[in-house]
Structures are given as C-alpha cells and as structure tokens.
C-alpha cells in the first residue's frame, strides 16, 4: 500500500494492528512530510523490525509526471496513475504564493455544457493517495512549498466525498502537508446533500459553488446538476453552510456571451445573493473548439461587474492564469486522451 493512501489516524491504526506503537506512525509521517526522506531504510529512529515491516508492506510511490507545460503565471502537469489513467493539475504563481488546483476524479459525470472535463465521463474516483500525490509530486518537481490548494480540477469533489474528507485531514494536519484550513478550497457544482454534510463538518475549509446562472431556466440549460438540485435548494444549503461555519462562500460565475451575461442576469444575481456572506468571482470563459459557446466581451463583463458592485455585492473578475496552456476553467484537457477541469 502507498503511504500517501493513509491519514495519520489510519496509519496509527494500521501499525497498531500489526503489533507496533501508535507513535511509530508519527515518526514515519515526520520523515516523509517534514524531512523529505523517502526511503524507510534511512529513517534512523525506527526499529529494525519496523523498517523491515514498512519495506515489505508499504511503498512511498509518486505519481508519474508525463508532461509539463509552463507559462509565466501557471504550469500544467499531466500525471499518470497506476492504472495508466491520466489526470492534470495546475500550479498558479500568485503574488500571495503558490496555489495548486487539483483534480478529484478521472473524468466527470456532471456534464456541464461549457466544460471540457465533462466530455470524458467519469472513469473512477481518485484515491486519497492520488489526491495527495498531486501535491507531493508538484512540490518535489518544482522544489517549492505549496501555499494553498483548490480542489477545482477534473471531477466533482463532492462526488468523491469520502476521499475529499480524508484529503482535508492530510492537507491540514500540521505533521503532514500542513496547509491551514483557510488556504484550502473545495468547489462543487451544487450537490446539495453533500453541502449539508460538508457544513456539518464545521471546518474552516472554504467552499466555492459553480453557480454560473442567476435562475433555473438558464442553469437548467447549461448545468445538468440543476435538474436534480434547483437554485433555491442550493442557496438554502449555502445559507446552512454559512450559519454553521460563518465562512464566506465564493460564487463562481463563468461569463458566456448571450447566455448568462445580460444586465438582467446581473440584477437577478444581485437579488439572489444580496445580504448573504458571499462573493462573486466572474470568470471570463475560455473558448474551445469543442463547444459553440463564446466568451462575453470585456465590455459586457465590466458592465456585469458594475451592476453587482452598485448593488453592494462583493465581486472580482478572475485574473486569467492559464488560458494559453489550455489550463484554465473547463479547458484542462489532456490532448493525449482527454481529461479536464471545472
Ligand atoms: S464544470 Fe466541474 S462539475 Fe461541471 S462537468 Fe466540468 S468538472 Fe464536472
């Protein structure tokens, strides 16, 4: 088994079950995550018996980086999994540090009509080791510390909820990846029951919602998930999340020409979220040859932004980091075989 497939609790339990002590798990984890020692034989404070047990039963195995595309603001990594499926992650170099956008599934079943990722149906969920592996292999390859993580890559994270919960535990554990809860963001297209479950975890982890429309009529057209969970239900779940966590929710809104970018849409969106602890991230759409949808022009985006502002909505226009890499929203797709990003 790969060591990255364990949370600390799980490794403790595993070692105890095999006749070792609870603290042995912390020793091993510290060697790997803190001291960057990736060979059990070099973990000098472990007993001989424990070293041979680890060598026989555990691996410290990285994901295989197949391809890297670099640009000044973002790098894209194509990674190969053990079963030869491929995923991607994107490293963004912000003025506040390095942020890694990780994938949660191979493919995605949510079928959002503007999204490259949804063109490849879900093959399977990523394991914990594959979620963690994205962070480990990019940190190692670039020799950097990653400062924040967004789970917004290929797949719907809440459709892989159990592993995302375990990933949160590994990322935020100060003996493991050690990134504060407030520097971790999970993005969902709106799986309402999971929003409630996530809220009940009462973590400080951020939540982002891919809303992309101010009403059900438009959302039904561009996001299949809206057939299952209407906007009113999503907003109710978000109210619950805010009441439990007092954390601000990010509303992601891709600007699609002639679809969701009218002044009326801006007024409707303002009304929908007015007075709520939310802020809107307007995302210029990255056109691809696979869809007919067009990006709203800059004038429309500015006008939409101004209307939200004038209605006292917190709003930003997302800086484009990876457009020239096909690494931006909905475009993260491996040309070799096809995979993508929210
Ligand atoms: S936008 Fe996100 S949820 Fe929708 S199809 Fe793409 S990856 Fe899946």
């Amino acid at each position: 088994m790969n060591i990255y497939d364990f949370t600390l609790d799980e490794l403790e339990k595993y070692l105890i079950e095999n006749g070792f002590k609870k603290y042995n798990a912390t020793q091993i984890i510290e060697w790997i995550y803190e001291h960057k020692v990736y060979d059990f034989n070099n973990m000098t404070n472990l007993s001989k018996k424990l070293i041979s047990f680890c060598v026989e039963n555990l691996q410290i195995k990285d994901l295989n980086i197949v391809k890297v595309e670099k640009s000044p603001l973002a790098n894209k990594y194509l990674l190969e999994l053990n079963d030869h499926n491929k995923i991607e992650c994107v490293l963004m170099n912000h003025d506040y540090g390095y942020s890694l956008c990780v994938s949660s599934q191979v493919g995605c079943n949510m079928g959002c009509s503007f999204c490259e990722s949804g063109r490849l149906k879900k093959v399977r969920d990523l394991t914990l080791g594959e979620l963690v592996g994205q962070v480990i292999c990019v940190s190692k390859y670039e020799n950097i510390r990653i400062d924040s993580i967004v789970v917004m890559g290929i797949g719907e994270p809440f459709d892989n909820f159990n592993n995302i919960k375990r990933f949160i535990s590994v990322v935020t554990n100060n003996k493991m990846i050690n990134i504060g809860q407030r520097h971790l963001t999970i993005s969902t297209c709106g799986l309402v029951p999971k929003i409630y479950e996530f809220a009940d975890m009462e973590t400080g982890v951020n939540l982002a919602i891919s809303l992309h429309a101010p009403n059900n009529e438009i959302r039904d057209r561009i996001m299949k998930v809206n057939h299952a969970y209407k906007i009113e239900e999503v907003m109710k779940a978000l109210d619950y999340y805010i009441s439990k966590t007092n954390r601000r929710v990010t509303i992601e809104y891709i600007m699609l020409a002639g679809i969701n970018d009218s002044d009326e849409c801006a007024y409707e969106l303002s009304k929908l979220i007015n007075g709520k602890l939310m802020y809107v991230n307007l995302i210029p759409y990255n056109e691809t040859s696979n869809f007919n949808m067009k990006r709203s022009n800059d004038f429309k985006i500015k006008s939409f932004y101004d209307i939200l502002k004038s209605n006292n909505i917190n709003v930003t226009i997302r800086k484009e980091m990876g457009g020239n890499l096909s690494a931006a929203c909905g475009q993260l797709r491996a040309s070799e075989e096809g995979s993508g990003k929210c």
Side-chain angles (χ1 to χ4, degrees):
M1 231 179 139
N2 195 349
I3 199 83
Y4 299 123
D5 273 305
F6 289 92
T7 63
L8 183 57
D9 287 353
E10 290 165 357
L11 188 60
E12 285 171 353
K13 187 162 174 272
Y14 177 72
L15 291 178
I16 290 167
E17 279 167 4
N18 285 282
F20 297 97
K21 300 281 184 225
K22 185 177 170 182
Y23 71 84
N24 292 142
T26 304
Q27 289 178 311
I28 296 170
I29 289 302
E30 281 175 350
W31 278 114
I32 294 170
Y33 285 92
E34 190 182 330
H35 305 300
K36 321 281 184 221
V37 169
Y38 304 111
D39 182 341
F40 293 113
N41 291 297
N42 296 334
M43 299 183 182
T44 49
N45 61 353
L46 305 191
S47 67
K48 282 201 175 118
K49 190 176 157 210
L50 179 55
I51 290 176
S52 37
F53 175 82
C54 290
V55 169
E56 273 168 38
N57 295 284
L58 296 170
Q59 287 178 300
I60 307 173
K61 195 167 183 312
D62 286 342
L63 300 179
N64 184 20
I65 299 185
V66 177
K67 189 170 157 193
V68 181
E69 283 181 40
K70 295 206 170 201
S71 81
L73 291 178
N75 297 345
K76 178 176 73 166
Y77 307 84
L78 178 66
L79 307 171
E80 186 174 40
L81 310 176
N82 266 350
D83 59 3
H84 305 300
N85 276 304
K86 295 192 181 74
I87 53 163
E88 293 180 346
C89 60
V90 175
L91 179 70
M92 289 157 285
N93 187 359
H94 294 287
D95 27 356
Y96 52 83
Y98 288 107
S99 177
L100 188 71
C101 175
V102 303
S103 295
S104 57
Q105 296 178 315
V106 178
C108 183
N109 273 348
M110 298 299 131
C112 304
S113 62
F114 46 81
C115 176
E116 279 287 309
S117 313
R119 294 208 306 131
L120 177 69
K121 291 286 161 242
K122 179 174 116 175
V123 176
R124 65 173 176 84
D125 292 330
L126 295 192
T127 62
L128 174 64
E130 291 163 342
L131 291 163
V132 173
Q134 295 172 70
V135 184
I136 300 291
C137 77
V138 173
S139 315
K140 273 194 195 175
Y141 182 85
E142 300 291 351
N143 196 21
I144 54 166
R145 174 173 161 77
I146 287 166
D147 302 289
S148 61
I149 294 175
V150 291
V151 188
M152 284 188 191
I154 304 164
E156 161 55 50
F158 281 176
D159 191 35
N160 185 11
F161 195 67
N162 196 35
N163 285 335
I164 289 296
K165 281 197 285 190
R166 296 166 69 221
F167 181 60
I168 291 171
S169 148
V170 172
V171 168
T172 58
N173 188 312
N174 62 9
K175 294 192 181 341
M176 300 179 93
I177 293 178
N178 191 19
I179 289 178
Q181 294 183 338
R182 282 156 197 244
H183 298 282
L184 173 61
T185 301
I186 315 290
S187 174
T188 176
C189 65
L191 298 187
V192 165
K194 298 297 176 199
I195 297 174
Y196 284 103
E197 269 190 64
F198 185 64
D200 285 335
M201 287 164 62
E202 295 187 42
T203 69
V205 174
N206 302 307
L207 179 63
I209 297 286
S210 300
L211 195 68
H212 307 320
N215 60 49
N216 287 318
E217 195 210 324
I218 298 174
R219 202 163 192 262
D220 274 342
R221 271 165 54 205
I222 60 176
M223 296 184 74
K224 271 195 202 155
V225 69
N226 205 64
H227 302 176
Y229 304 111
K230 297 294 177 202
I231 281 190
E232 297 74 22
E233 295 170 74
V234 173
M235 297 311 287
K236 206 168 142 197
L238 295 182
D239 287 343
Y240 180 76
Y241 168 84
I242 292 166
S243 73
K244 291 290 275 194
T245 64
N246 203 28
R247 301 285 300 148
R248 187 173 73 165
V249 171
T250 303
I251 303 289
E252 306 282 5
Y253 197 102
I254 289 184
M255 299 292 294
L256 300 164
I259 295 176
N260 65 358
D261 65 347
S262 66
D263 290 357
E264 292 70 34
C265 285
Y267 284 114
E268 210 172 346
L269 182 62
S270 305
K271 202 166 154 205
L272 187 69
I273 65 172
N274 191 23
K276 296 183 190 292
L277 188 56
M278 294 179 180
Y279 99 96
V280 178
N281 192 17
L282 297 177
I283 306 166
Y285 181 56
N286 295 291
E287 293 173 15
T288 83
S289 53
N290 297 312
F291 301 105
N292 288 329
M293 294 175 177
K294 296 275 173 237
R295 165 202 190 103
S296 306
N297 65 40
D298 291 350
F299 174 79
K300 269 281 177 206
I301 296 176
K302 180 68 172 48
S303 156
F304 202 96
Y305 171 92
D306 288 341
I307 292 170
L308 293 184
K309 269 272 175 216
S310 66
N311 282 283
N312 298 318
I313 304 296
N314 284 314
V315 55
T316 52
I317 299 172
R318 183 187 281 179
K319 187 171 165 191
E320 292 173 84
M321 307 287 288
N324 59 339
L325 289 175
S326 299
C329 291
Q331 278 195 318
L332 184 60
R333 186 177 183 83
S335 51
E336 281 80 357
E337 62 172 23
S339 29
K341 159 162 176 39
C342 265

